[in-house]
Amino acid sequence: MQQTLEQKPPVSPKVSAPPMAPTFSIPEPAQMPVSADYKTVGVPLVENAKFAMRDVNVFYGEKQAVFNVNLDIGENEVIAMIGPSGCGKSTFLRCLNRMNDTIDICRVTGSIQLDGEEIYASKMDVVPLRARVGMVFQKPNPFPKSIYENVAYGPKIHGLASRRVDLDEIVETSLRRAGLWEEVKDRLDAPGTGLSGGQQQRLCIARTIAVSPEVILMDEPCSALDPIATAKIEELIAELSQNYTIAIVTHSMQQAARVSHRTAYFHLGKLIEVNDTQKVFTTPDHALTEAYITGRFG
Amino acid sequence: MSNTNKKAPARTMDLVERSLARRYGAEKRFRFYGVISVVIGVLALALLFWEIFSAGLGGFRQTHIQLTLKFDPDVLEIADARDARQVQNGNFEGVVRAALAERFPAVLDRGGRRDLNGILSIGAAFDLRDKLVDEPELLGQTRTYWLLADDDVDTYYKSLREGNAFTARTSEARQVWIQELIDGGELRTQFNTRLFTSGDSSEPEMAGILGAVVGSLLTLLVTFILSFPIGVAAAVYLEEYAPRNRFTDFIEVNISNLAAVPSIIFGLLGLAIFIGLFGMPRSIPLVGGLVLTLMTLPTIIISSRNAIKAVPPSIREAALGIGASKMQMILHHVLPLAMPGMLTGAIIGMAQALGETAPLLMIGMVAFIMDVPNGISDPATVLPVQIFLWSDSPERAFVERTSAAIMVLLAFLVCMNTLAVWLRKRLERRW
């Protein structure tokens, strides 16, 4: 017994930045480095860009998490971001509505423009920005309030409805769009936390769309859900893409393939390849992308 | 690894089984130590309660003597019972003395008379005056009342009933009179309402805790009104806004240290600053409340910070993610979720403040004050200080009153802690 314990390999080194998960699969992505002057292959830039990112670098203190990313997100496009754990895709996503501001040591350089407006400009107010760029998180996080209150909260604080009937209408349309109305219309006063995981996540989506955002960021929205709930969310994403621009980070390549128009592959904080989803999953341009989607590392 | 395990399964199991008995033995001892500790704790608590209750229950009863008296206008020197000044100066003690003389006609000598008059409290005369004020028609009439007995009679009667008569302060003549009254059913104990309706007094039978209770409540009111908002605001700033640097670290360490500072130091501080520097009066609940605020603040700040820390980050992200400003996030989501924890901390801090004596001695709330305070700037004392004062008094009757006051204080503390638990249960929301 004693001997086998001693033979154990040393504990893998700690990763410092909070949102980056430790990497432990073999071979690790770290063993497949990308040169500093890499160039993203494929079609990172588009004509009708809603979001335009140029030379985006993100640092956690001394450690750089995202390197020189150039990427456009088109109007009403669903873009999926895939890549191994700790590759910086979530960090990058959180730059788009400045959620990284809540982390003291996080620093962003480069240019991120929403409809030609620099979102990291000092005069940019994050409150309206986050109303325009909504976010759905990995773990369903409804407020510990009623279902109604959950959806009505955003419109209330932004003053979108002055009368109760208007608010009721926003709540109903948001819940309908999120595909939750039929399930909860008789118990709007029930606590949102009492719903199932999948329903909670759809409630969070309803809450996000209640403030009529232009872009919805989704950070692994299905990773805490079972397959049936996941299928419902995916259906919902397809529907929402008619009205919204959606950027989704996912660990599931099948999900990326099912819901997105374009797919971006991140590797160690670098954007390796952006192409039409179909192309990425059939004939990727870059060897690393191919290695990842064929499961040779993870 | 798996290979070695497969090769020698029998040997591993032998080793495990050999050590099993030892491991279970250790576990049994471990549990036993825990049980012993709990038993010691419960025994200590039971002993404390038994001691206080056995000594203090008597304090809730007071001996009364039945007498038939005549509101004689000549003795009282009152012509018009509706004239407040005349009634105020009326010779009610004369009425009591006359009634006693009538009840015990055999006592004729001066010394005996004085001894006889002493079996009733001077409070009895005050009671008669109050009755006449309420009912002016009583003038000239004869009535039978239960009147307040002197504390020596009270002590003697209670000790007599327990079969261990305390005679040091009761003359033999008095013992005979008391026996006569007992035999005639004219002496009994009643519920001691004075304990709850009057302020302090040097006469044990007339002393009550109302003044101290009101003083305590006023002091706590000042403490709560000041320390809860200040504590919560400080906690919110430190937790949500303050940058992490050496200065805020220094503040944090100091708050933790302040929580451990002996309370009497806060009393000295209050004496030097509030009374010395600002010239506020001594013995008033306002200064007491200020001092206790200083003492309670660290507790409230620390518990509020912990409550705020315990709010899941996902809720903050959810609020920020739909465009709530930081203040909206705090007011709409963080504070409501942290409220049960903050209130619990505040109530526990208040309970601590309620039981605090030392700092209040420093600012003069230890003075002998008979009147019930009417506001935060009236001289007052507080319950624990009242207990301290009574425990210091030589009269035997104060012993049981001290214990009775302790029981009242404990009742308040239990109520506050129950309130804390109830509030936590009530406001707690699951997520």
Side-chain angles (χ1 to χ4, degrees):
Chain A
M1 290 296 278
Q2 197 67 289
Q3 230 177 358
T4 53
L5 273 178
E6 278 166 15
Q7 279 169 356
K8 255 193 173 171
V11 182
S12 53
K14 272 191 214 159
V15 179
S16 60
M20 303 178 59
T23 57
F24 39 73
S25 42
I26 297 173
E28 291 180 16
Q31 288 159 338
M32 307 175 121
V34 188
S35 65
D37 58 341
Y38 77 101
K39 212 170 165 354
T40 306
V41 299
V43 280
L45 309 185
V46 295
E47 299 258 308
N48 59 339
K50 183 84 187 162
F51 258 116
M53 283 75 81
R54 297 293 178 269
D55 296 321
V56 173
N57 290 286
V58 184
F59 302 84
Y60 286 114
E62 291 299 301
K63 190 177 158 33
Q64 187 163 5
V66 174
F67 296 81
N68 288 320
V69 169
N70 289 283
L71 179 67
D72 281 350
I73 300 175
E75 187 98 48
N76 289 8
E77 179 185 39
V78 179
I79 186 164
M81 301 179 187
I82 59 168
S85 294
C87 70
K89 52 196 189 305
S90 285
T91 302
F92 179 69
L93 187 77
R94 290 166 63 96
C95 290
L96 301 185
N97 67 346
R98 290 183 58 175
M99 279 306 278
N100 280 337
D101 287 14
T102 54
I103 301 164
D104 286 343
I105 55 166
C106 183
R107 191 162 53 85
V108 181
T109 67
S111 152
I112 301 178
Q113 293 187 340
L114 172 64
D115 288 334
E117 256 184 290
E118 191 61 54
I119 69 166
Y120 272 90
S122 54
K123 67 175 191 314
M124 174 54 88
D125 189 345
V126 293
V127 167
L129 171 70
R130 287 178 188 150
R132 287 173 68 188
V133 185
M135 188 153 190
V136 177
F137 297 87
Q138 184 170 355
K139 217 181 120 222
N141 56 354
F143 298 129
K145 301 181 181 206
S146 71
I147 293 170
Y148 183 93
E149 284 292 319
N150 261 286
V151 183
Y153 181 68
K156 262 190 203 164
I157 58 169
H158 292 298
L160 300 185
S162 50
R163 291 178 308 156
R164 177 80 188 191
V165 279
D166 297 340
L167 200 58
D168 288 348
E169 199 186 316
I170 293 178
V171 170
E172 183 176 338
T173 34
S174 305
L175 284 171
R176 273 190 197 286
R177 280 195 178 170
L180 196 60
W181 176 253
E182 291 303 324
E183 291 160 57
V184 301
K185 63 181 177 188
D186 300 324
R187 46 173 176 149
L188 289 175
D189 291 327
T193 41
L195 298 172
S196 74
Q199 288 174 325
Q200 286 190 16
Q201 194 63 299
R202 277 181 283 150
L203 178 62
C204 291
I205 292 174
R207 181 176 68 187
T208 306
I209 56 185
V211 291
S212 325
E214 298 155 32
V215 184
I216 301 175
L217 309 177
M218 296 186 174
D219 189 358
E220 300 179 32
C222 301
S223 64
L225 305 182
D226 64 67
I228 294 168
T230 302
K232 279 196 174 160
I233 302 272
E234 285 178 7
E235 254 172 58
L236 179 58
I237 293 171
E239 262 179 53
L240 292 175
S241 67
Q242 292 163 11
N243 299 307
Y244 303 95
T245 305
I246 296 173
I248 175 169
V249 164
T250 176
H251 268 299
S252 155
M253 285 178 266
Q254 289 85 343
Q255 185 171 67
R258 281 192 295 262
V259 302
S260 69
H261 304 133
R262 274 196 308 157
T263 298
Y265 173 66
F266 283 79
H267 188 90
L268 295 176
K270 296 173 173 115
L271 179 56
I272 302 300
E273 174 170 354
V274 188
N275 259 322
D276 278 350
T277 298
Q278 208 182 353
K279 181 162 169 48
V280 168
F281 287 103
T282 51
T283 54
D285 287 336
H286 202 287
L288 276 172
T289 318
E290 191 177 357
Y292 179 70
I293 62 164
T294 52
R296 261 179 275 154
F297 68 88
Chain B
M1 242 164 85
S2 53
N3 255 351
T4 45
N5 279 347
K6 267 181 198 162
K7 266 181 194 169
R11 214 183 132 251
T12 313
M13 278 317 293
D14 287 347
L15 284 173
V16 169
E17 269 165 22
R18 228 176 290 160
S19 67
L20 266 185
R22 195 166 43 80
R23 277 155 63 181
Y24 286 140
E27 171 129 19
K28 253 186 195 163
R29 282 195 298 280
F30 189 63
R31 275 179 55 182
F32 181 68
Y33 298 147
V35 170
I36 287 285
S37 311
V38 171
V39 166
I40 290 175
V42 169
L43 276 183
L45 195 68
L47 192 70
L48 174 84
F49 275 108
W50 183 76
E51 173 66 29
I52 292 172
F53 275 65
S54 61
L57 278 176
F60 292 109
R61 308 287 297 178
Q62 165 65 40
T63 307
H64 285 71
I65 294 171
Q66 194 183 41
L67 264 188
T68 304
L69 338 92
K70 183 166 193 288
F71 287 89
D72 189 338
D74 297 333
V75 179
L76 285 168
E77 295 163 19
I78 296 173
D80 178 9
R82 285 179 179 77
D83 183 348
R85 216 173 59 84
Q86 278 188 36
V87 173
Q88 192 64 33
N89 296 325
N91 180 18
F92 291 94
E93 279 176 46
V95 171
V96 174
R97 277 200 287 270
L100 277 172
E102 202 171 315
R103 174 68 185 77
F104 296 100
V107 185
L108 293 170
D109 61 305
R110 240 177 114 81
R113 276 286 177 81
R114 189 178 297 144
D115 202 15
L116 178 62
N117 293 337
I119 68 168
L120 279 175
S121 164
I122 54 163
F126 299 146
D127 283 350
L128 291 180
R129 188 180 63 202
D130 292 345
K131 286 193 200 316
L132 188 62
V133 170
D134 289 345
E135 248 183 293
E137 307 82 62
L138 283 176
L139 194 63
Q141 302 202 22
T142 304
R143 286 286 147 84
T144 305
Y145 290 120
W146 284 97
L147 294 174
L148 192 61
D150 189 65
D151 61 303
D152 290 333
V153 175
D154 185 49
T155 308
Y156 172 75
Y157 176 53
K158 283 174 184 165
S159 59
L160 186 70
R161 274 199 311 191
E162 280 164 21
N164 184 22
F166 174 77
T167 53
R169 288 181 59 82
T170 312
S171 66
E172 276 173 30
R174 260 197 204 182
Q175 290 176 31
V176 174
W177 300 325
I178 290 171
Q179 195 54 52
E180 200 182 324
L181 287 169
I182 295 172
D183 294 342
E186 293 157 277
L187 189 147
R188 66 169 191 204
T189 59
Q190 294 179 344
F191 182 71
N192 189 0
T193 46
R194 258 169 212 276
L195 188 66
F196 299 97
T197 56
S198 59
D200 197 8
S201 168
S202 52
E203 302 293 330
E205 74 275 10
M206 293 168 66
I209 54 168
L210 183 65
V213 169
V214 172
S216 268
L217 291 179
L218 289 171
T219 308
L220 278 192
L221 188 72
V222 172
T223 309
F224 185 79
I225 286 176
L226 288 175
S227 63
F228 190 64
I230 296 177
V232 170
V236 166
Y237 178 78
L238 287 173
E239 213 44 60
E240 300 286 344
Y241 288 102
R244 292 266 168 276
N245 56 30
R246 277 174 162 201
F247 183 63
T248 46
D249 283 351
F250 177 74
I251 290 178
E252 262 174 51
V253 170
N254 276 293
I255 290 173
S256 309
N257 283 343
L258 274 181
V261 166
S263 56
I264 197 156
I265 312 251
F266 288 106
L268 276 173
L269 181 81
L271 178 63
I273 306 255
F274 301 125
I275 294 176
L277 198 63
F278 297 161
M280 291 181 176
R282 284 157 211 279
S283 317
I284 63 170
L286 177 62
V287 176
L290 285 169
V291 167
L292 292 179
T293 299
L294 294 180
M295 201 199 78
T296 328
L297 260 182
T299 314
I300 294 187
I301 293 177
I302 291 170
S303 62
S304 299
R305 287 188 65 174
N306 288 336
I308 291 172
K309 257 187 215 150
V311 175
S314 62
I315 299 291
R316 295 161 202 268
E317 285 194 326
L320 291 178
I322 50 172
S325 66
K326 197 155 187 179
M327 196 185 94
Q328 286 170 327
M329 171 192 91
I330 293 169
L331 289 184
H332 298 164
H333 300 286
V334 176
L335 284 188
L337 287 177
M339 196 48 85
M342 296 193 298
L343 275 180
T344 308
I347 292 172
I348 286 170
M350 289 299 115
Q352 221 180 353
L354 176 64
E356 202 53 71
T357 321
L360 301 178
L361 300 184
M362 283 285 134
I363 56 155
M365 292 187 87
V366 70
F368 173 73
I369 291 148
M370 291 178 67
D371 295 326
V372 176
N374 286 319
I376 55 170
S377 54
D378 280 355
T381 188
V382 294
L383 256 181
V385 175
Q386 185 69 74
I387 289 166
F388 167 75
L389 281 171
W390 282 359
S391 71
D392 225 19
S393 303
E395 289 89 349
R396 270 222 157 197
F398 269 129
V399 174
E400 56 185 20
R401 282 173 174 76
T402 305
S403 291
I406 290 174
M407 284 159 71
V408 173
L409 180 63
L410 284 177
F412 271 107
L413 289 174
V414 168
C415 284
M416 286 174 79
N417 285 326
T418 312
L419 181 71
V421 172
W422 181 78
L423 272 177
R424 196 168 49 210
K425 284 260 162 64
R426 181 79 205 277
L427 295 174
E428 206 164 50
R429 281 190 264 192
R430 280 163 228 291
W431 53 78

